[in-house]
Amino acid sequence: MRGILTIAGKDLRSLFYSPLFWVISFLLTGVWSVLYQVSLGTFARNATMMQMQGQESSMSLHEHVFAQHVGLVNFLMILAVVALTMRLFAEEKKNRTFDLLLTSPVTATQIVAGKYLAGLLASWTLVGISLLYPLATMFLADFDLGPLMASYLGLLLLVACYVAVGMFASSLTESTVLAVVMGLIFSVGIWFIGALSEAVEQPFWVTVFEHLSVGKHFSFFIRGGVGVASIVFFLSVVFINCFLTQRVVESSRWR
Amino acid sequence: MIEVRDLTKSYGLHKAIDRLNFSVNKGEVVGFLGPNGAGKTTTMKIITGFMAPTSGQVKVAGLDVFEDPVEVKKRIGYLPETPPVYGDMTVEEYLRFVAHLKGAERAKIPSLVARAIEKTNLGDVRKRLIQNLSKGFRQRVGISGAIVSDPEILILDEPTVGLDPRQVAEIRALVKELAGQHTILLSTHILPEVQASCERIIIINRGRIVAEDSLDGLTKRMSGSGRVVIRVRRAIFGLAEALGSITGVRHVAAVSGSVQSGQASSNGNGNGLGAVSQVAGEVVFEIETDGAEDTIEKIAAQVVGQGAGLMEMKSESVNLENVFLQLTSSEEQQGSNVAAGVQS
């Protein structure tokens, strides 16, 4: 446990001490601030208009503002997470500091767990910041917190997947550029596994690929649902990528 | 402390090391010497558990490196070829991180860090970022990291590379100072380094151990051979042959001169080969002898007797460098001789 925390602490420290994290936070909050305000403003205008026309307002804040915001956060987090995880392994390999980790009394599993924890905490910090926008809306309007919290649970799980995928990409190379490219392709790629259900004939495989669809599971959370199957799905993606990373780290001994 | 048995590592068809066997006792300082690419780094990486061997076994403090890697790694401080330092940390932060990583007792860490900084003279830069330090300082930070957890065994891969002469002297002094408390395996291709700090030397070439002995033992092994360099004013015809025919002279080579100089060699029975043309000019001969004083006297008598005009004569004692060159090149020569079908 101590090995994990030591490595996680070191990587978190190096993330927070580098300009990278702050530039990413700055850009993300900039985009979110502008777009959130715009969509909230549009929603408010439409709602008032409907009231003025004497219609019963059937528009839901969650559906029109929060769901959009969560979608935007998800999209930008794909990019941000890849940037945050690209250095986890690639840089250690390039600077030969990986030698220090591999000759220290820590196992490959501990190294991977420590690095995953660091990437996860940094990425979740950004997700946490994005939650401030809907929460601040509480001062303006009354709404049900339930669906928002469900959406954010989905978002946290999805971001956890991106971190695992990005870390795996980083472990494959010592070039951070290649780590970014691979990380992006992998992260975007998991969204398209579900699309394969269109490409197969047998009903069995159609069901399998439908279950592997990130979009299907994520939209379930956005609609306000919390399903064990979906949680298990996201945790499996995390586990598989961490496991693969662990194998890559372990295999560096055999080369 | 370290026991290496039949260690082999192949990269594809190429064997980086081939059935190495050696052991290092507790408290010893052993120099691991060899030309670049001899397999020193590979061997060290295997001992530290960084890399797995193709076959063979390594035991550190009685524990098998591959059955009990975590316990073994706790006992080893390793400095790789490139010091594994993080540029975005200060020296102190780095040493604290390494101490934690090595699993040192929490309460002891401040004193361990202070001790490592003091031993490697890093006090002035303790608060500086490592990326702003010069190469020599980074190397010292690397050494500091290797010793910070106070490991029983230190494995240093070319610890003085890239340092200026004063820093080299400091590191050597440090190794000597650490010698009492740690078992040290030190690799280098720089000869004075092992002479200065090691008790025992393992010479490795092309993945095999070619010699393993104490410094004295190795030098003694070479006694019974010596070298005399003479400079004469005139290149007398037949001088080289005459020198070659002296009992005790093994080889005569004209190394420089204004004339086309030939070579003469002899098996000691006086069968001279080659020729030196008789044109006036200064010539320097390098003569390999059996090291006996009689032989040197005979050489002097011969040169003076022939009237070649002896300008300079010096006898060189055999040093480690000769031992090293002979041991690491003889194998190659044997190889090429066999290939050419020549009996040596």
Side-chain angles (χ1 to χ4, degrees):
Chain A
M1 197 59 203
R2 185 177 172 200
I4 298 177
L5 291 181
T6 305
I7 291 170
K10 184 225 101 196
D11 277 320
L12 261 186
R13 195 196 145 282
S14 101
L15 269 174
F16 286 134
Y17 274 38
S18 75
L20 183 82
F21 181 81
W22 302 105
V23 171
I24 292 175
S25 323
F26 170 75
L27 293 175
L28 290 187
T29 45
V31 173
W32 291 335
S33 304
V34 173
L35 293 184
Y36 188 79
Q37 204 203 347
V38 169
S39 71
L40 195 61
T42 315
F43 175 78
R45 255 199 319 279
N46 289 345
T48 352
M49 246 158 68
M50 286 171 102
Q51 265 176 359
M52 273 161 62
Q53 289 163 357
Q55 291 170 342
E56 179 88 354
S57 172
S58 62
M59 286 173 69
S60 119
L61 190 64
H62 181 77
E63 206 176 298
H64 287 89
V65 181
F66 297 165
Q68 239 180 53
H69 178 65
V70 167
L72 178 68
V73 171
N74 166 48
F75 171 65
L76 289 181
M77 283 310 286
I78 292 184
L79 310 176
V81 166
V82 163
L84 291 177
T85 54
M86 65 182 182
R87 301 197 304 183
L88 286 179
F89 283 98
E91 191 140 289
E92 300 255 12
K93 286 187 183 178
K94 198 171 166 194
N95 294 340
R96 304 315 214 102
T97 46
F98 205 40
D99 300 20
L100 175 69
L101 297 183
L102 287 183
T103 55
S104 292
V106 287
T107 60
T109 313
Q110 284 175 312
I111 296 175
V112 172
K115 291 194 167 279
Y116 182 70
L117 201 60
L120 192 67
L121 289 178
S123 309
W124 277 2
T125 307
L126 293 176
V127 176
I129 292 170
S130 80
L131 180 60
L132 297 177
Y133 297 87
L135 286 184
T137 317
M138 283 208 292
F139 295 110
L140 306 171
D142 279 338
F143 58 86
D144 184 11
L145 265 180
L148 180 66
M149 289 303 131
S151 307
Y152 262 84
L153 177 65
L155 201 53
L156 289 178
L157 288 169
L158 191 53
V159 165
C161 294
Y162 297 152
V163 174
V165 167
M167 176 176 74
F168 173 57
S170 180
S171 74
L172 293 176
T173 170
E174 50 180 68
S175 144
T176 45
V177 176
L178 206 54
V180 166
V181 175
M182 286 196 291
L184 273 181
I185 292 175
F186 294 165
S187 305
V188 174
I190 57 171
W191 276 87
F192 289 99
I193 297 176
L196 287 175
S197 63
E198 312 274 321
V200 289
E201 302 272 309
Q202 301 96 321
F204 171 74
W205 287 107
V206 172
T207 335
V208 167
F209 282 119
E210 271 172 0
H211 275 295
L212 294 179
S213 161
V214 173
K216 189 182 136 253
H217 289 289
F218 189 48
S219 60
F220 184 65
F221 281 103
I222 289 191
R223 285 198 308 271
V226 175
V228 176
S230 301
I231 295 178
V232 169
F233 169 75
F234 285 127
L235 291 183
S236 325
V237 175
V238 169
F239 176 79
I240 288 171
N241 281 285
C242 288
F243 173 76
L244 289 175
T245 314
Q246 195 266 356
R247 295 323 294 165
V248 172
V249 172
E250 188 67 38
S251 78
S252 58
R253 281 182 223 283
W254 301 96
R255 266 177 246 158
Chain B
M1 222 39 189
I2 304 175
E3 269 188 62
V4 174
R5 292 280 158 266
D6 290 327
L7 202 64
T8 304
K9 174 79 187 176
S10 321
Y11 296 105
L13 287 174
H14 172 68
K15 273 189 178 167
I17 53 173
D18 190 8
R19 293 192 302 273
L20 288 192
N21 279 293
F22 65 89
S23 58
V24 179
N25 301 322
K26 196 173 166 65
E28 246 185 335
V29 182
V30 173
F32 208 44
L33 193 66
N36 289 326
K40 300 181 299 255
T41 301
T42 305
T43 312
M44 292 185 141
K45 278 184 173 171
I46 293 174
I47 295 173
T48 54
F50 179 88
M51 198 188 252
T54 309
S55 65
Q57 196 187 31
V58 180
K59 277 194 171 174
V60 172
L63 300 163
D64 190 295
V65 172
F66 295 95
E67 279 161 21
D68 220 341
V70 170
E71 281 304 309
V72 167
K73 287 171 182 176
K74 270 185 198 161
R75 291 172 165 77
I76 294 180
Y78 173 50
L79 174 75
E81 268 173 310
T82 323
V85 293
Y86 293 95
D88 60 354
M89 288 188 188
T90 66
V91 172
E92 244 175 359
E93 281 169 343
Y94 173 72
L95 294 176
R96 257 202 309 273
F97 167 66
V98 176
H100 274 290
L101 197 61
K102 287 278 177 188
E105 250 177 78
R106 268 167 210 280
K108 280 191 189 163
I109 286 177
S111 65
L112 284 173
V113 170
R115 172 181 154 276
I117 286 179
E118 186 220 332
K119 286 213 164 167
T120 45
N121 275 330
L122 288 167
D124 296 340
V125 297
R126 64 200 303 163
K127 302 267 185 225
R128 295 257 303 268
L129 282 182
I130 295 175
Q131 63 191 3
N132 298 333
L133 296 179
S134 67
K135 193 168 186 238
F137 268 114
R138 281 185 205 200
Q139 186 75 19
R140 278 202 264 171
V141 174
I143 296 174
S144 204
I147 65 172
V148 71
S149 60
D150 200 16
E152 293 168 58
I153 299 162
L154 278 179
I155 295 186
L156 308 174
D157 199 350
E158 309 201 343
T160 56
V161 163
L163 302 185
D164 67 35
R166 223 190 86 216
Q167 292 167 333
V168 170
E170 278 173 15
I171 296 298
R172 282 181 196 158
L174 175 68
V175 169
K176 270 194 173 166
E177 194 193 323
L178 294 170
Q181 312 139 42
H182 307 267
T183 305
I184 301 176
L185 180 63
L186 169 104
S187 91
T188 180
H189 58 264
I190 304 159
L191 292 145
E193 198 150 291
V194 278
Q195 266 170 317
S197 39
C198 300
E199 295 152 11
R200 202 150 62 83
I201 298 168
I202 297 169
I203 299 183
I204 173 174
N205 189 35
R206 301 182 157 210
R208 287 162 183 272
I209 292 178
V210 289
E212 183 184 352
D213 212 336
S214 65
L215 188 57
D216 287 347
L218 277 178
T219 321
K220 262 190 208 129
R221 193 185 283 204
M222 289 302 286
S223 66
S225 75
R227 217 156 70 108
V228 178
V229 177
I230 57 171
R231 188 157 65 91
V232 297
R233 205 164 185 182
R234 288 173 291 276
I236 303 279
F237 179 73
L239 178 61
E241 285 83 350
L243 288 171
S245 65
I246 297 169
T247 325
V249 172
R250 291 184 181 147
H251 184 82
V252 179
V255 289
S256 73
S258 53
V259 294
Q260 175 65 41
S261 355
Q263 267 195 357
S265 75
S266 164
N267 56 12
N269 295 332
N271 233 348
L273 301 163
V276 176
S277 51
Q278 192 193 7
V279 182
E282 208 169 76
V283 187
V284 176
F285 290 102
E286 271 184 13
I287 305 163
E288 273 173 35
T289 70
D290 59 1
E293 287 182 344
D294 284 353
T295 316
I296 299 174
E297 192 186 333
K298 280 183 206 155
I299 293 170
Q302 183 66 249
V303 174
V304 173
Q306 292 225 0
L310 184 63
M311 306 297 292
E312 193 183 348
M313 179 167 184
K314 60 185 175 205
S315 167
E316 285 178 354
S317 62
V318 176
N319 56 19
L320 194 58
E321 197 150 350
N322 301 99
V323 181
F324 177 67
L325 284 175
Q326 189 174 351
L327 285 170
T328 53
S329 60
S330 62
E331 218 175 57
E332 281 158 42
Q333 270 174 8
Q334 270 170 20
S336 59
N337 283 353
V338 169
V342 175
Q343 292 265 318
S344 63

